[in-house]
Amino acid sequence: MKECTRCKTGRAVVKRPKTAEMMCKPCFYHVFEEEIHQTIVDNKLFKAGDRVAIAASGGKDSTVLAEVMTTLNQRYNYGLDLFLLSVDEGITGYRDDSLETVKRNQEQYKIPLKIVSYEELYGWTMDAIVAKIGLKNNCTFCGVFRRQALDRGAMLLKADKIVTGHNADDIAETVLLNLLRGDISRLTRCTSITTGTEDALPRMKPFKYTYEKEIVMYAYFKKLDYFSTECIYSPNAYRGYARNFLKDLEAIRPSSIIGENLHIQQETLSKIPEQGKCSRCNYISSNPVCKACILLDSLNRGMPKIEIADEGEKVEKEVVPTSVHKTINF
Amino acid sequence: MSEGGKFEDNSCGEVPPEEARRQADRLKKKISDICVKCRTEKSTLLFRKESICWPCYEDQIIRKFKTQLNATRKNKSQLEKVLIAFSGGPSSRALIHILNECILGRSNQASAFFEIGGIIHIDESGVTKPETAEEKEKLAQVAASYNIPYHSVPFGSIFNDSENPTQETNREKIEKLMQGCTTNTTREDIIFHMRNLLIANTARTLGYEKVLFGTSASRMATTLISLVCKGRGYNVAQEIGNNDTKYGDVQFGYPMRDFLGKEVSVYNHHKHLEDVFLPSLDTKTSDPKFSIDHLTESFIEGLQVDFSHTVHTLLRSSVKLTMPKIDQPMTCSICAASLLPSTTSQSIGGEGKEDSCCGENGCGGEEWLVVVANISDYVCGGCHRVMNEISPQVLPPYVQHNADRNGRSSRLRSQIEDYLLDDGE
Ligand SMILES: [Zn+2]
Ligand SMILES: [Zn+2]
Ligand SMILES: [Zn+2]
Ligand SMILES: [Zn+2]
């Protein structure tokens, strides 16, 4: 029997990918959760009384996120008002099942669940979008819409912050993709542990230093209920290349890319346009009209029956003025 | 979940790639045999999607070269005497020719600002298979054909230590260094940094303030990604930026940074410039996961085939990455990169618990643990990873000297810390 290197009594059942330590189950849970707690404390991610939306997709990251957030909130009396927030993209067979998982999570963790759908926010389901434009650029739509949908949903529910399950591997992938597409402003945003602190809802990434493999191990040993299918519309050439590369990279040297180790030129940063508001939907945008509205416009142009202005105004009225949600980080 | 967005983001008004290709094809058919630049000569080559004639191709190369060369100038009023780093490869071979040509006549400007003082080559015999007499002769011949002084510096001189001379030959030490690394990634990594250090030191000894490298755009792009992957993201600007300050008074410049590898090949072919092929560590491997450098190279090459803007986009990204301004930074004991103040190597790398030994069995006793602790305290994030994959006793003596010096200055600093005025942000 291999002995746990931490407690010296338990039977080691895992070799931590992060440190190569042999550990028993309880010790693994403990260090896994404690590291995340430490990240939360060190980076002052929350304050007592915060209303926090847990971005819940039903996938492993967000399921583990819900588990760890509720656990730590109780263990350390964070005093957070937690709820699950899901986005229904309207992809038959994909979201239907994953939303079932999220609904079970809601019962398990006894925290409320709110689902916002693309259909109610934008007037389009992803299925309808794909039917319209084919599989070519659907991930652009999905990505842009999802980013806003979370914010809009969270604002509707008067959340102060959003937590997402982005882990170290996700961040590595995003770093790589942003370097490859020369997107420096997003490169800065994707590596910081909190984003959107100005006008948008702050987004927290407590898993920033957590390895994906450990999240999988945690979910596996805890027998967490999660849904594990890639988005059926997801595969795209560039991201595929990047993922394979990162996988091989990890085989050579475990978790090589750490998002934080980049420094962006100051002048470049100041050149990034100031975040204003979209004139159509009032959502935070660096351009007069936000990306979602531009995409919607291009979608709707082919379908004269749906008027973009109406949709925009409708959404605008629903969105709570963002200034109310300005949160001061301590 | 992933943070949305994807590469082929055509929504922002850019022309979709297929459309661009179709336009280019149409264009090509229309003027297929006349050069689009001069509109008189017959076009024989394709340069950045334009069919042009050889004289116009050469013109483009020289023009782009001069732009990059100018960007390396620090003191705009002075004549700079430069040393050219020559690996034997096509790109540095082309650099020698183009720079020489610029100075000799094609451009009054270049001759007013630059003077070639010498060519330096690092002889890596021992790291890879020893250079043959024929190869040595060929390398020296290149310099001789331009009447430029040639310095071949053996890689082993990185071990030179005037204070403690040893019985072992430098060749034996190189062998031990290579054996002391547990991964090819670390082998390549330290060779890269030690080679650069040797070049900088030699340049300083010979009285140069600038060394020009033949690094191509393709190589630059690969280096950017592999640096980031090796935990050296903070130092990208120091490693591949123009106007870097990594080696203090000796500046490295990269005037070939705009050219793709194949563009250099075309140039060399037309000019009958022969390079000298010298094998590198990964020359013979068939393992795609041989090392991070090797993997990254095939990754970028593959992308470039399918997405022809890959390399140049990466270059644009790289120039936006800078070193944070640090007042009197300590430098990494191994690679000379600036260390970030207030962050130990651990937090630079962002990884916890690396301080303990490598965790592999048989990695030695306490004696060298003391040495590890010492050096590891004064290395950058990237070299911190190197330390996990090398036996410290095989490192050249300069590393320990640097660590000792860093240790002394940080002890001194901590003694006077309370009296130092913080003029930082
Ligand atoms: Zn244990
Ligand atoms: Zn909008
Ligand atoms: Zn021409
Ligand atoms: Zn270093």
Side-chain angles (χ1 to χ4, degrees):
Chain A
M1 174 190 109
K2 279 209 177 95
E3 184 182 81
C4 168
T5 50
R6 188 172 168 274
C7 65
K8 314 271 184 225
T9 52
R11 189 171 68 92
V13 291
V14 299
K15 184 174 158 195
R16 284 195 71 192
K18 196 169 184 172
T19 60
E21 293 166 288
M22 306 289 209
M23 283 194 184
C24 66
K25 259 192 231 175
C27 284
F28 172 67
Y29 296 153
H30 181 83
V31 293
F32 181 88
E33 290 158 4
E34 284 310 296
E35 278 178 16
I36 292 158
H37 171 61
Q38 211 50 52
T39 304
I40 290 172
V41 173
D42 289 350
N43 295 281
K44 302 183 172 81
L45 294 191
F46 309 109
K47 62 180 189 320
D50 272 348
R51 186 164 158 75
V52 178
I54 300 172
S57 64
K60 62 171 182 345
D61 296 312
S62 72
T63 302
V64 172
L65 183 67
E67 163 91 12
V68 172
M69 284 304 295
T70 46
T71 305
L72 293 177
N73 193 29
Q74 279 162 17
R75 186 182 298 161
Y76 291 104
N77 289 315
Y78 287 167
L80 302 180
D81 178 9
L82 297 171
F83 69 94
L84 297 164
L85 177 61
S86 272
V87 174
D88 182 358
E89 294 96 338
I91 305 174
T92 314
Y94 171 65
R95 264 315 174 224
D96 296 348
D97 297 349
S98 60
L99 285 175
E100 284 311 309
T101 317
V102 180
K103 281 174 193 157
R104 287 196 295 276
N105 284 345
Q106 166 189 20
E107 288 152 28
Q108 192 181 349
Y109 303 120
K110 309 234 159 6
I111 48 178
L113 164 68
K114 165 72 187 172
I115 300 172
V116 286
S117 71
Y118 278 13
E119 191 158 28
E120 64 186 280
L121 288 176
Y122 306 111
W124 286 85
T125 64
M126 269 317 286
D127 283 344
I129 292 174
V130 170
K132 179 85 189 156
I133 64 161
L135 284 169
K136 202 92 225 291
N137 290 313
N138 62 81
C139 282
T140 310
F141 281 88
C142 201
V144 169
F145 285 175
R146 180 184 300 138
R147 224 169 303 141
Q148 287 204 5
L150 270 180
D151 270 310
R152 291 176 177 196
M155 282 174 186
L156 280 176
L157 291 149
K158 303 203 170 10
D160 300 306
K161 283 163 190 171
I162 301 173
V163 273
T164 65
H166 289 96
N167 59 47
D169 299 57
D170 292 331
I171 292 171
E173 183 183 309
T174 319
V175 166
L176 185 62
L177 284 170
N178 285 330
L179 282 172
L180 285 168
R181 67 180 145 211
D183 190 339
I184 296 303
S185 63
R186 194 170 289 160
L187 186 64
T188 329
R189 269 179 278 144
C190 77
T191 56
S192 61
I193 194 158
T194 67
T195 44
T197 37
E198 275 307 304
D199 252 340
L201 279 189
R203 287 197 177 202
M204 311 305 180
K205 301 170 192 159
F207 288 174
K208 185 182 169 181
Y209 303 107
T210 310
Y211 291 10
E212 185 155 283
K213 276 227 174 72
E214 302 211 340
I215 293 172
V216 175
M217 281 162 73
Y218 187 89
Y220 173 78
F221 284 120
K222 285 229 158 182
K223 299 193 171 57
L224 296 186
D225 183 7
Y226 71 87
F227 181 76
S228 64
T229 303
E230 282 269 304
C231 169
I232 54 167
Y233 294 140
S234 156
N236 94 48
Y238 230 78
R239 198 173 278 276
Y241 275 113
R243 282 205 179 148
N244 286 338
F245 172 66
L246 288 169
K247 231 178 232 139
D248 289 345
L249 197 62
E250 202 192 320
I252 296 176
R253 192 188 267 178
S255 196
S256 293
I257 292 191
I258 299 291
E260 217 171 25
N261 62 18
L262 288 168
H263 190 263
I264 320 289
Q265 198 178 352
Q266 276 309 311
E267 302 100 81
T268 312
L269 282 186
S270 57
K271 264 184 242 150
I272 293 164
E274 282 215 10
Q275 302 255 301
K277 291 211 181 98
C278 170
S279 60
R280 292 200 186 159
C281 71
N282 217 27
Y283 180 82
I284 306 95
S285 166
S286 45
N287 296 311
V289 178
C290 77
K291 236 177 169 181
C293 286
I294 293 172
L295 289 181
L296 273 175
D297 205 30
S298 73
L299 266 182
N300 293 334
R301 239 181 286 137
M303 303 194 72
K305 273 177 190 161
I306 302 164
E307 297 218 352
I308 178 75
D310 292 351
E311 187 61 28
E313 274 163 25
K314 200 181 104 215
V315 176
E316 188 177 357
K317 275 172 205 143
E318 282 172 3
V319 173
V320 186
T322 46
S323 54
V324 176
H325 293 285
K326 217 170 203 167
T327 316
I328 295 132
N329 289 329
F330 57 93
Chain B
M1 340 177 35
S2 47
E3 196 134 338
K6 64 171 211 162
F7 191 82
E8 312 93 306
D9 187 344
N10 300 332
S11 58
C12 46
E14 279 173 39
V15 186
E18 317 91 70
E19 182 51 28
R21 207 174 305 134
R22 243 174 280 133
Q23 282 174 9
D25 285 347
R26 247 178 278 137
L27 214 64
K28 230 174 22 189
K29 268 179 211 133
K30 231 192 267 168
I31 39 95
S32 59
D33 28 56
I34 300 240
C35 166
V36 298
K37 292 281 175 206
C38 61
R39 301 202 174 274
T40 48
E41 294 292 314
K42 250 184 108 174
S43 72
T44 51
L45 295 154
L46 205 63
F47 182 74
R48 316 250 162 123
K49 292 184 181 137
E50 290 180 323
S51 37
I52 57 177
C53 66
W54 162 248
C56 287
Y57 185 92
E58 189 178 9
D59 196 57
Q60 285 293 308
I61 296 282
I62 302 283
R63 203 180 294 233
K64 287 184 188 297
F65 176 81
K66 277 192 214 152
T67 308
Q68 294 300 331
L69 184 66
N70 255 321
T72 71
R73 290 180 61 213
K74 214 164 35 185
N75 188 334
K76 302 261 173 188
S77 63
Q78 246 174 7
L79 177 84
E80 290 185 299
K81 202 173 131 195
V82 299
L83 186 63
I84 299 177
F86 180 39
S87 66
S91 201
S92 54
R93 178 65 188 86
L95 166 64
I96 297 172
H97 187 82
I98 299 172
L99 184 59
N100 191 62
E101 201 141 282
C102 282
I103 291 173
L104 279 188
R106 294 189 66 115
S107 158
N108 310 325
Q109 233 193 347
S111 55
F113 299 138
F114 294 98
E115 183 194 334
I116 305 175
I119 289 173
I120 183 174
H121 170 73
I122 304 296
D123 176 352
E124 286 167 32
S125 299
V127 170
T128 51
K129 114 183 151 26
E131 281 176 9
T132 62
E134 194 192 341
E135 283 162 348
K136 284 182 201 292
E137 172 58 26
K138 270 190 189 167
L139 291 161
Q141 201 46 51
V142 169
S145 67
Y146 295 95
N147 257 326
I148 303 171
Y150 175 68
H151 313 272
S152 174
V153 179
F155 183 83
S157 48
I158 196 77
F159 289 96
N160 289 355
D161 183 18
S162 48
E163 289 166 41
N164 307 299
T166 53
Q167 286 297 308
E168 253 176 338
T169 64
N170 283 344
R171 192 63 71 80
E172 285 163 343
K173 288 175 189 168
I174 295 176
E175 211 165 284
K176 278 194 175 168
L177 179 69
M178 291 296 100
Q179 284 164 359
C181 300
T182 58
T183 64
N184 289 319
T185 296
T186 277
R187 275 181 204 114
E188 290 178 345
D189 207 24
I190 57 170
I191 293 166
F192 174 80
H193 289 289
M194 289 178 184
R195 181 197 300 129
N196 280 353
L197 209 58
L198 261 181
I199 292 173
N201 291 344
T202 313
R204 190 177 298 114
T205 313
L206 295 172
Y208 290 94
E209 287 178 12
K210 177 172 283 178
V211 185
L212 294 181
F213 286 74
T215 320
S216 67
S218 315
R219 170 66 54 197
M220 281 272 171
T222 307
T223 308
L224 164 66
I225 295 297
S226 90
L227 282 171
V228 170
C229 293
K230 287 185 285 191
R232 297 182 182 276
Y234 253 119
N235 304 107
V236 164
Q238 279 196 322
E239 300 295 355
I240 56 173
N242 272 328
N243 297 322
D244 65 287
T245 52
K246 190 175 179 192
Y247 302 102
D249 46 347
V250 177
Q251 187 210 342
F252 287 3
Y254 306 93
M256 300 290 284
R257 64 182 298 151
D258 200 18
F259 304 128
L260 296 173
K262 63 173 184 210
E263 291 167 355
V264 174
S265 305
V266 168
Y267 182 85
N268 286 4
H269 177 77
H270 270 260
K271 286 283 182 182
H272 308 290
L273 303 177
E274 263 185 65
D275 51 276
V276 185
F277 176 78
L278 298 170
S280 56
L281 278 181
D282 65 344
T283 297
K284 276 191 182 152
T285 186
S286 56
D287 178 11
K289 292 180 223 165
F290 177 83
S291 67
I292 291 183
D293 286 356
H294 186 75
L295 179 73
T296 309
E297 196 178 330
S298 44
F299 171 59
I300 301 296
E301 262 172 24
L303 278 181
Q304 182 68 19
V305 171
D306 289 353
F307 307 92
S308 60
H309 42 50
T310 302
V311 164
H312 283 106
T313 309
L314 280 171
L315 281 195
R316 264 191 285 121
S317 294
S318 79
V319 293
K320 288 170 188 155
L321 301 172
T322 54
M323 269 306 281
K325 289 259 179 298
I326 308 164
D327 192 35
Q328 290 192 309
M330 281 209 277
T331 56
C332 172
S333 306
I334 296 178
C335 78
S338 300
L339 300 181
L340 299 172
S342 79
T343 40
T344 63
S345 51
Q346 233 185 67
S347 55
I348 299 170
E351 246 166 54
K353 301 197 181 79
E354 274 188 325
D355 269 336
S356 55
C357 77
C358 61
E360 301 296 336
N361 35 15
C363 77
E366 283 180 352
E367 277 156 71
W368 71 255
L369 269 180
V370 177
V371 180
V372 180
N374 210 347
I375 296 173
S376 290
D377 282 348
Y378 304 104
V379 293
C380 68
C383 289
H384 209 270
R385 288 154 206 240
V386 164
M387 291 303 288
N388 288 337
E389 296 174 4
I390 197 170
S391 321
Q393 70 268 30
V394 302
L395 285 167
Y398 83 87
V399 176
Q400 190 61 53
H401 294 327
N402 285 346
D404 292 346
R405 184 155 21 91
N406 277 324
R408 278 194 300 276
S409 76
S410 82
R411 273 194 301 279
L412 274 178
R413 198 184 160 87
S414 68
Q415 281 168 26
I416 57 168
E417 204 161 39
D418 296 345
Y419 305 98
L420 293 175
L421 300 176
D422 186 18
D423 57 349
E425 308 103 288

